[in-house]
């Protein structure tokens, strides 16, 4: 069923999963201990029903079909695996190491999205110290 949707809708679904996941992980500080798949799904469900333009473009009959939900869950899993396996760039690593040395901190990060979060935290801390 998911395969029958337009490429634009499929791309929008993938983007909404990525954005929701990265936002959720940011809210919990990328803490594996605080991660709750049900809470992530609740956040994503709220996002798609209130903010995602693609959701209204899918016919209600498709949204009600259990096969669609199964395929959507598989897409979520694929996207999360891709995000978590996307390594940080060399530039991110260098920037984070410079900031950590300057701030005398040690944050672990395992993927590109988490590195963005860590870099933002460190930059905000550095800016706060300079003010």
């Amino acid at each position: 069923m998911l395969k029958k949707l337009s490429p634009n809708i499929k791309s929008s679904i993938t983007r909404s999963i990525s954005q929701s996941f990265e936002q959720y992980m940011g809210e919990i500080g990328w803490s594996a201990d605080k991660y709750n798949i049900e809470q992530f799904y609740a956040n994503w469900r709220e996002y798609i029903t209130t903010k995602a333009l693609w959701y209204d473009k899918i016919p209600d009959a498709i949204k009600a079909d259990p096969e669609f939900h199964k395929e959507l869950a598989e897409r979520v899993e694929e996207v999360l695996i891709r995000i978590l396996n996307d390594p940080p760039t060399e530039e991110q690593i260098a920037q984070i190491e410079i900031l950590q040395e300057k701030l005398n901190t040690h944050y672990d990060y395992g993927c590109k999205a988490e590195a963005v979060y860590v870099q933002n935290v460190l930059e905000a801390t550095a800016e706060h110290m300079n003010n």
Side-chain angles (χ1 to χ4, degrees):
M1 294 197 114
L2 202 55
K3 291 178 175 99
K4 293 179 183 177
L5 298 174
S6 76
N8 288 344
I9 290 179
K10 289 189 282 190
S11 177
S12 293
I13 290 170
T14 299
R15 244 186 338 274
S16 72
I17 296 165
S18 297
Q19 290 171 340
S20 294
F21 180 71
E22 290 173 27
Q23 180 181 357
Y24 171 70
M25 292 305 290
E27 289 170 3
I28 63 168
W30 278 83
S31 170
D33 294 336
K34 293 180 184 175
Y35 179 75
N36 180 305
I37 188 75
E38 289 85 13
Q39 185 60 54
F40 162 68
Y41 270 112
N43 289 10
W44 183 59
R45 195 168 21 256
E46 180 181 339
Y47 174 81
I48 64 173
T49 57
T50 62
K51 297 177 184 162
L53 299 176
W54 62 264
Y55 190 74
D56 290 335
K57 295 178 183 175
I58 297 176
D60 290 340
I62 291 177
K63 288 188 250 186
D65 192 312
E67 185 64 26
F68 175 71
H69 290 278
K70 178 179 179 259
E71 291 175 9
L72 209 47
E74 290 169 357
R75 174 63 62 96
V76 169
E77 184 178 346
E78 290 167 7
V79 171
L80 299 189
I81 288 169
R82 189 189 76 232
I83 290 170
L84 295 171
N85 286 319
D86 188 15
T89 66
E90 289 182 24
E91 184 178 331
Q92 284 177 306
I93 293 168
Q95 292 285 330
I96 290 170
E97 288 189 17
I98 289 167
L99 287 164
Q100 292 206 102
E101 190 172 308
K102 178 181 176 183
L103 298 169
N104 194 29
T105 60
H106 179 77
Y107 284 88
D108 290 323
Y109 51 95
C111 65
K112 189 179 205 175
E114 187 176 14
V116 168
Y117 169 79
V118 168
Q119 187 170 354
N120 289 339
V121 167
L122 292 171
E123 287 172 351
T125 302
E127 187 175 316
H128 179 71
M129 290 177 70
N130 291 332
N131 289 335

